[in-house]
Amino acid sequence: MSSLPTPATQAGQDGLDALLAQPGKALIGLDFDGTLAPIVADPELARAHPRALSALAALAPKVAAVAVITGRPAEVAVRNGGFADVPGLEHLVVLGHYGAERWDARSGKVTAPEPHPGVAAVRAELPGLLDGSGTWVEDKGRAVAVHTRRAADPQAAFDALREPLTELATRHGLIVEPGRMVLELRPPGMDKGVALSEFAREIDAGSVLYAGDDLGDLPAYSAVDTLRTTGTPGLLVCSGSDEVTELRERADVVVDGPEGVVDLLAELADRVG
């Protein structure tokens, strides 16, 4: 096992030091796709890295909480991650749909508000707008995501669709969340930053680590920055990719995709044991 990476910033070093000094007060926040699970062409086939569960099960009992924060429905993330009924993960929380849904390992139940009516309206109009584009629509229940990775020219399709999808979303009271060859139409008011901040406040976290890979993780990065200014140390980890550079530029630590994230979690578990 490799040693812990050295954060590129003093704020990141302070966050790591605080986590190691008082792991029982630390919140570990993790994105799913691209962070715990490799990105694949068909999101339904995404599965957590083979060593993710063992690393999480080793670390989770030693920290205040582990929260998986994802744009996916909570139940889908639980299924694809294999998080249910895993010894050591009894206190795991999955915040799905950017925090609109919550699954607790202890109860095995999902709590959520009623869906936004704009999602159904958008869902009905998308086929006509996307006809012939070579894209694929993922119905998330509380959101719909248009994937361009299967198109003949994924980036060109992404660029061409961004404006019309934004107009469609706005017309029905939704917003567009861009990602790695995906444009997600979802309700406003929740993002990974809000979800992370609210959960950190709920558990009175003494430090926060957040790991992500995509544009949707930027609000969580900003939330950690805000927590730092109010006295809660934080560490920003980027699950590196060649498709998104914004997180890499803001991160304290950059690791090599989900493999690197799992290595980091396992090393943390060893250090705080």
Side-chain angles (χ1 to χ4, degrees):
M1 184 68 66
S2 60
S3 61
L4 286 173
T6 301
T9 68
Q10 186 59 52
Q13 187 63 57
D14 292 344
L16 178 58
D17 290 345
L19 191 162
L20 294 174
Q22 291 187 296
K25 299 193 70 175
L27 166 59
I28 308 296
L30 304 161
D31 169 49
F32 185 72
D33 292 281
T35 300
L36 285 177
I39 294 291
V40 293
D42 184 350
E44 287 303 306
L45 300 180
R47 295 295 183 270
H49 185 280
R51 292 189 290 110
L53 286 178
S54 60
L56 286 170
L59 179 60
K62 303 172 182 178
V63 298
V66 174
V68 175
I69 307 175
T70 174
R72 286 181 180 267
E75 287 184 332
V76 172
V78 171
R79 181 192 70 214
N80 290 7
F83 299 133
D85 302 319
V86 176
L89 296 186
E90 290 84 0
H91 302 294
L92 178 76
V93 171
V94 175
L95 303 176
H97 281 304
Y98 303 92
E101 291 185 345
R102 175 168 171 164
W103 175 87
D104 286 274
R106 179 176 288 179
S107 67
K109 297 184 183 301
V110 174
T111 55
E114 290 297 314
H116 189 291
V119 175
V122 161
R123 186 183 295 119
E125 292 189 38
L126 274 177
L129 191 152
L130 299 175
D131 187 39
S133 65
T135 58
W136 177 75
V137 176
E138 179 187 6
D139 191 341
K140 295 185 174 184
R142 296 175 183 276
V144 288
V146 178
H147 294 265
T148 67
R149 197 175 292 274
R150 298 181 190 174
D153 186 334
Q155 187 63 53
F158 180 95
D159 294 340
L161 286 170
R162 189 162 184 170
E163 184 175 338
L165 288 179
T166 298
E167 188 278 329
L168 174 64
T170 301
R171 185 151 43 86
H172 293 291
L174 305 180
I175 62 172
V176 170
E177 182 80 51
R180 293 167 67 177
M181 300 303 140
V182 61
L183 294 157
E184 182 169 320
L185 290 73
R186 64 177 181 85
M190 285 299 294
D191 59 36
K192 292 183 180 180
V194 174
L196 182 66
S197 297
E198 290 184 350
F199 191 65
R201 186 164 50 248
E202 176 186 329
I203 68 168
D204 193 23
S207 64
V208 178
L209 178 154
Y210 184 80
D213 76 305
D214 207 347
L215 297 174
D217 297 301
L218 287 173
Y221 270 37
S222 295
V224 172
D225 286 337
T226 299
L227 286 166
R228 287 167 166 174
T229 65
T230 56
T232 302
L235 179 66
L236 295 171
V237 178
C238 172
S239 174
S241 79
D242 295 329
E243 292 181 339
V244 178
T245 60
E246 289 90 338
L247 268 73
R248 181 185 296 270
E249 293 164 359
R250 288 186 57 181
D252 303 309
V253 167
V254 179
V255 298
D256 187 14
E259 177 88 10
V261 172
V262 169
D263 285 344
L264 175 61
L265 295 173
E267 181 66 16
L268 284 172
D270 285 345
R271 289 293 187 95
V272 301

